[in-house]
Amino acid sequence: TQLLEQSPQFLSIQEGENLTVYCNSSSVFSSLQWYRQEPGEGPVLLVTVVTGGEVKKLKRLTFQFGDARKDSSLHITAAQPGDTGLYLCAGEDTGFQKLVFGTGTRLLVSP
Amino acid sequence: DAGVIQSPRHEVTEMGQEVTLRCKPISGHDYLFWYRQTMMRGLELLIYFNNNVPIDDSGMPEDRFSAKMPNASFSTLKIQPSEPRDSAVYFCASSREGAGTEAFFGQGTRLTVV
């Protein structure tokens, strides 16, 4: 069974602070996706990383895929209240196009 | 496109009753996924289909759960009989063929079994 562990599970910070969320597994994935989910809604894709070592930036969000394609990180610079939500990493099972989701990180950014 | 459409949004039922959740995927998508989300277990993949054919149902918790996809535009997840531990939010998602493609989620069905 493939498991994706995220840390931390909960994070409560002030507006303007920086943070990093980690997503770790012992399995290799063909791609790694990050989603954000808001209350009452389904997860929405933020980014997909495919190549080991790949770094992608989306405004204040920076995503990195580990060299061995087993882990990933999400860094947010100068967090804002609008960043509040549940962040989920998801690994794509090689050759099967099914996503295994991580345990999730619940982020609260206070003004 | 209207996105992935799930119904009902909320369902409250008594233990032992049959529950049917419905999903209409995005037109043209080849894959359909059913997930269950709880605080304790997170987002779990129950079953997924490719071109209406079930590919992997290893996540279906028990024989009480069944899923069908009679055509490309409709899928159901049925629980019979339902139990209180089935209470969760059930999501349907669809995606196109191809590695790394985005999964589009519906708004979910919040199921409460009392």
Side-chain angles (χ1 to χ4, degrees):
Chain A
T1 303
Q2 296 169 306
L3 293 174
L4 279 165
E5 295 287 337
Q6 287 184 237
S7 62
Q9 290 186 24
F10 301 97
L11 196 52
S12 181
I13 61 173
Q14 295 293 114
E15 183 176 1
E17 292 185 37
N18 301 332
L19 67 116
T20 302
V21 176
Y22 299 94
C23 173
N24 295 295
S25 175
S26 58
S27 301
V28 176
F29 296 101
S30 58
S31 71
L32 200 295
Q33 300 180 350
W34 284 91
Y35 289 77
R36 183 169 71 199
Q37 184 179 15
E38 298 188 11
E41 302 292 332
V44 176
L45 181 70
L46 294 173
V47 78
T48 301
V49 285
V50 179
T51 307
E54 183 176 1
V55 177
K56 278 192 175 179
K57 292 191 175 182
L58 186 67
K59 296 182 181 179
R60 295 175 293 99
L61 278 61
T62 302
F63 304 85
Q64 185 163 6
F65 201 10
D67 291 340
R69 306 206 324 271
K70 293 182 180 181
D71 54 81
S72 181
S73 64
L74 157 61
H75 182 79
I76 301 179
T77 303
Q80 298 177 1
D83 296 327
T84 293
L86 177 65
Y87 288 81
L88 296 158
C89 64
E92 183 179 5
D93 196 354
T94 303
F96 294 95
Q97 199 164 331
K98 74 175 186 180
L99 290 175
V100 176
F101 278 82
T103 48
T105 296
R106 199 167 295 276
L107 172 65
L108 174 63
V109 183
S110 302
Chain B
D1 201 317
V4 176
I5 299 173
Q6 291 186 245
S7 64
R9 288 294 312 275
H10 302 274
E11 176 80 40
V12 180
T13 190
E14 291 185 348
M15 182 175 62
Q17 295 297 307
E18 177 180 295
V19 176
T20 300
L21 311 181
R22 297 172 176 80
C23 174
K24 176 178 167 53
I26 293 173
S27 177
H29 281 191
D30 307 291
Y31 285 83
L32 183 140
F33 307 86
W34 281 101
Y35 286 90
R36 178 173 69 176
Q37 188 174 39
T38 61
M39 287 294 292
M40 291 297 294
R41 301 176 67 89
L43 198 59
E44 302 173 276
L45 177 63
L46 300 178
I47 184 172
Y48 77 102
F49 296 82
N50 178 212
N51 293 324
N52 313 339
V53 177
I55 302 301
D56 184 352
D57 65 354
S58 60
M60 296 285 260
E62 300 173 31
D63 291 344
R64 299 183 295 105
F65 286 70
S66 62
K68 293 182 180 180
M69 192 166 185
N71 56 62
S73 59
F74 184 65
S75 178
T76 59
L77 178 67
K78 186 177 292 186
I79 308 173
Q80 166 63 15
S82 58
E83 296 183 3
R85 59 194 167 119
D86 301 331
S87 298
V89 181
Y90 290 81
F91 286 101
C92 174
S94 69
S95 69
R96 293 185 185 279
E97 181 81 41
T101 54
E102 177 178 1
F104 291 82
F105 282 77
Q107 290 186 298
T109 295
R110 181 173 294 277
L111 173 65
T112 302
V113 183
V114 298

